[in-house]
Every structure is written in structure tokens, then in C-alpha cells.
Amino acid sequence: MSTDNAHSGWLDPASAKLLFQIDALEPAFKALLQNLIGFKSVSGNEGPLVRFVAEWAQSAGFDIDIWQADDVALAAQYPMAAARHLSLANRPTLVIRSPGAGSGPSLFFNAHSDVVPVPDAALWRDGPWSGTFRDGRVYGRGACDDLGPLVCGLWAMTAIARSYGRLPGDVALELVPGEEDCVGLGTLTSLARGYIPDASIVLEPTDGQPRCASRGGYRFQIVARGRAVHGTVKWLGKDAIATMRLILGVLEEIERDWNDREADRLFAAYPIMRPITVDRVDGGAWQGMVADRCVCAGYLELLPGDDPETWRKRFADEVQSRLMALAGASSGISAADVEVDTLEQYDGHCTPTGHALCRAAQMAMTSPGRRSHWQQWSGWSAFNSGCEAGLRPRLCGTPTLVWGPGSLDQAHAADEFVDWPRVHAAAADMAATAAVWCSGRNESL
């Protein structure tokens, strides 16, 4: 028998049945992913997709809990939820649960229901909401971030239910709103509902590899103020756009200077340790006028060991001091002309690689019974982004991995896609990991 068909070495005697179910369910889950892409679930419009997934899960025999969180009540319970975000109205949270026998630890998959907007649909070969399957790939907005990973979790849960019936511990999936709008907000709605699993796998595009750490950081806004005059006498005014040009140069300089390549070995494969990404610049009020205000906003992403408050203060201080040094006294720019604010903060995380959850995932990835053509284990490293993974580790001490098919190279891009064989392989590896963890065997790993 070829290695590709030798399932019996895959973790335990039930693994052959588990992998058989993964294979048998493949057509249904490819169709599900293509269907989900058509919902256009841009941040703020997640409701139809979430309700569809709830109906699908209920028809598949899972327990469901779907509810609408209230912005005011959530912020009263968790002040961090008062950060800038789109209203949660008509953006429900869903928990899909396969109850265990009550004698083992629980595991939650976490996925976000929103996708980013499409600036120019004309750049897409088949249209952003088509879900086209071509050359082994599924195309469409969200195929990689985060609908492909979501389908992985649903696929793994379904295969487990058909193979084992009930595991000792619960297996569940929470589908949360708003990750693309405000990181952590959606998971707070689930925490407020009382869901505190023993472990979690946050579904994000990680090239099919389980990642044991993720970035923290915050969203910043920098306002440069000037003095508006008619453009023909611009020397009498103070150009806020010119000041912003200097600020953007300062941000590039700070990113270079903070790029400590030895700061965290889990992030060593990435060329920038603490990325600073400006994603919005707005300035000017009317044609022919010198701008009296210009704003930039973006993200400073940190390492799990960085204290957010320390780095927030350092960031604000260095933007101010470096700008003053660069502009010079003769420029007329003063510290009062520049304001640095923090709009939202999110947590990074790091689960020790010796933790039983990491060992269960590594066992799944290195089992001799895996298909030979599946992506091979590449060792422990970090997910190079902020995501929902940091919240529960900080508030509840929950061991957490980030894991899913697809790559950040494709996320948010035109012609976004996910390689379908990677979805298949990741669903199988996640199912095996969940089966080990929820069986209680993690204590012996």
C-alpha cells in the first residue's frame, strides 16, 4: 500500500476513519466555501453570512448559539470594547458546538466573519464574489482571509463528529464579527457570553502551519496642524501636508531603528520586527488652499514580549522629538502642531512550544501516516500579524495557536485565493489535533 493511502499510522486507531471522513466531505466543503464568498460580508455586513452558517450548522446536527451583542453593554463589561469600531448592530456572533461527554478539555476554533472591502472590482479576473474554482484554487474576497480557514474548522468539526460521535471534551467554533474593523472586538462578545474554552485555535492564513505566537500592537492616528491661506501667498501660511511628509519619513526611520533582529526568535524569519504601516493619509480642505490639517493613520505591530503602554509612549515621544530635529527651528513647526493618538490596542500572545497543545499539533503534522504530498512541518514560528489570538491568553490564560490554509501574501489582494489542497490538508491536521486534545490524551504528551 502506498504511503498516501496508509492511514493507520495517523495518530490512533480511529484516525483512518477520521481521514476517510475528511476525504468524503471534500466536495461539500468546497461548495460551502464558494457559497460563502458570495455573501459579500464586508465589515459591518456580516449578518447574512453568519445566519447562513448557523442554519448550515444546525442542519448538520450541531448545537448553535447565535446572539446580538450590544455595544454599550459590552463596553461596560470590557472597557477595551469602547475602542473605535463600527457598531455591532446586525453583526451577530455565532458559536457552533459539538458537545463532549464532559470528561475532557474543550477546544474552540475561532474565525472572523468579516472581509475587507474591494476597492476596484475591475482588477479581478472573475469578480471578487465569484468563488471561482480554477487550477486547484478557490478565488474571491475572503477565500484566504478568513473564509478558507473558517471552512477548515467546520470541516474538521464535521469529520470528528462523524468519526467519534462524542469526544470526552467539547469541540466548538465561534464565528465573530469585526476582526478587520477592530481586532479583538468580536472575541470579546463571546467572552462576555461566558465562553471560556480550555484551548483555542484561531483560524487565519498561516501557510498551513500551526503558529504558537502572534503580534500585538495598536492603531495610531497622527494629526498635523497648520495655518490655511490662499495658495498664491502660501509663505504666509503653514502647510500641514508638508509637515505630514516629514512625519512619514520619521515613521520609516523609527521602523528601521526598532528593527532588532534578535528580539524574538519566533519572528526571525520576517524582515521587519516591528512593522509600522500607514494605511490612510487625508489632508486639505479646498483647491488652491494651503492645508491647515493633515491626518495619517495606521498600525504599529509589536512583539508578544513588548509592553504595549511602554511602546505606545515611546512611539509618541519619538515621533515628536524626531520631527522637531528633522524640521529644524527655522521651519516654524512646533510640538503643538502634531498630535499622536492611539485608537485601539490589541494583544499579542505566545504559547510555549512545550505546551501540550503545541505537542498535539506537532504530532499531527509529523505523524508518519500523513499524506506524503501534504505540506510538511516547518518548525515553530510566529504569525506575522495581529489577530484574535491575543485576547483569551491575556484575560483567561488560554493556550492558543493560529492556524489555517492560505498566506498573508494573498490576503486583501486582488484575485485573492486559497489553494484547495492546502485547505484539505489543514482540515485533516486540525481534526487530528482537536481529537488528541479533546480526548484528554494531551496530559500524557
Side-chain angles (χ1 to χ4, degrees):
M1 182 179 291
S2 71
T3 303
D4 283 0
N5 295 319
H7 304 165
S8 59
W10 199 57
L11 296 181
D12 66 18
S15 61
K17 186 174 182 181
L18 182 61
L19 192 48
F20 173 82
Q21 290 295 338
I22 289 285
D23 291 347
L25 290 163
E26 179 176 7
F29 280 92
K30 183 168 71 175
L32 178 62
L33 175 56
Q34 293 176 286
N35 198 357
L36 294 179
I37 289 170
F39 274 87
K40 304 181 182 180
S41 56
V42 173
S43 301
N45 190 44
E46 298 98 319
L49 179 139
V50 175
R51 287 187 285 272
F52 173 84
V53 174
E55 292 174 3
W56 174 91
Q58 195 165 38
S59 68
F62 295 114
D63 293 350
I64 67 164
D65 181 15
I66 184 169
W67 71 96
Q68 178 62 63
D70 177 78
D71 291 290
V72 175
L74 187 66
Q77 186 172 357
Y78 293 104
M80 66 189 77
R84 171 208 61 84
H85 63 265
L86 299 172
S87 171
L88 285 168
N90 299 313
R91 306 169 73 192
T93 304
L94 169 66
V95 168
I96 301 166
R97 184 167 160 262
S98 183
S103 56
S106 60
L107 183 140
F108 268 43
F109 294 106
N110 172 294
H112 60 88
S113 53
D114 60 332
V115 302
V116 297
V118 176
D120 188 351
L123 296 176
W124 292 69
R125 174 176 172 180
D126 298 299
W129 315 109
S130 66
T132 298
F133 181 74
R134 183 176 64 252
D135 299 328
R137 296 172 172 176
V138 178
Y139 287 84
R141 175 57 86 225
C144 169
D145 185 13
D146 192 36
L147 301 177
L150 163 62
V151 164
C152 260
L154 296 172
W155 194 351
M157 283 185 67
T158 305
I160 286 171
R162 292 192 178 188
S163 301
Y164 294 89
R166 301 178 75 187
L167 290 170
D170 293 358
V171 185
L173 184 146
E174 57 188 356
L175 187 55
V176 303
E179 193 267 355
E180 300 291 5
D181 167 48
C182 183
V183 176
L185 178 70
T187 300
L188 278 178
T189 68
S190 185
L191 264 175
R193 190 78 161 181
Y195 288 108
I196 305 177
D198 295 307
S200 68
I201 294 176
V202 173
L203 300 168
E204 289 283 353
T206 66
D207 299 294
Q209 299 285 334
R211 308 295 189 190
C212 62
S214 63
R215 292 190 179 278
Y218 55 81
R219 184 161 182 81
F220 62 81
Q221 176 177 279
I222 303 174
V223 180
R225 294 187 174 85
R227 184 170 60 255
V229 295
H230 195 286
T232 58
V233 289
K234 64 181 183 179
W235 55 86
L236 300 177
K238 184 185 292 186
D239 188 353
I241 293 177
T243 301
M244 185 56 68
R245 284 200 297 268
L246 297 177
I247 292 171
L248 296 177
V250 163
L251 294 179
E252 291 181 358
E253 180 182 282
I254 291 173
E255 182 183 72
R256 286 194 301 270
D257 290 350
W258 289 1
N259 194 22
D260 178 3
R261 305 294 300 140
E262 305 299 320
D264 191 324
R265 65 176 182 82
L266 292 171
F267 289 83
Y270 305 115
I272 303 174
M273 283 288 111
R274 298 180 179 91
I276 299 173
T277 302
V278 173
D279 54 29
R280 182 173 66 87
V281 179
D282 294 318
W286 192 253
Q287 59 194 38
M289 287 177 61
V290 168
D292 62 356
R293 189 173 187 272
C294 189
V295 181
C296 80
Y299 287 97
L300 167 62
E301 296 205 275
L302 301 172
L303 300 169
D306 293 338
D307 176 65
E309 180 57 27
T310 299
W311 285 86
R312 184 199 65 78
K313 186 177 186 304
R314 183 179 176 186
F315 179 75
D317 290 346
E318 292 206 22
V319 168
Q320 292 273 10
S321 62
R322 293 183 189 224
L323 175 64
M324 295 303 102
L326 181 63
S330 62
S331 67
I333 299 172
S334 70
D337 295 328
V338 178
E339 179 182 329
V340 183
D341 290 323
T342 302
L343 304 179
E344 77 184 67
Q345 178 184 313
Y346 51 93
D347 299 300
H349 93 291
C350 183
T351 299
T353 57
H355 191 279
L357 179 63
C358 292
R359 294 201 299 273
Q362 186 171 345
M363 178 190 293
M365 291 291 294
T366 58
S367 171
R370 290 176 81 246
R371 303 280 176 83
S372 62
H373 62 276
W374 286 356
Q375 189 172 10
Q376 298 304 300
W377 168 246
S378 64
W380 286 110
S381 62
F383 181 53
N384 191 37
S385 180
C387 63
E388 300 293 300
L391 194 68
R392 280 201 176 90
R394 180 168 74 83
L395 296 181
C396 309
T398 307
T400 298
L401 299 176
V402 187
W403 198 352
S407 170
L408 289 175
D409 295 350
Q410 285 91 48
H412 301 185
D415 285 334
E416 179 178 347
F417 69 87
V418 66
D419 285 305
W420 183 249
R422 296 289 179 88
V423 180
H424 186 155
D429 288 331
M430 289 181 197
T433 301
V436 170
W437 176 265
C438 296
S439 71
R441 286 179 287 148
N442 52 288
E443 295 178 1
S444 64
L445 293 179

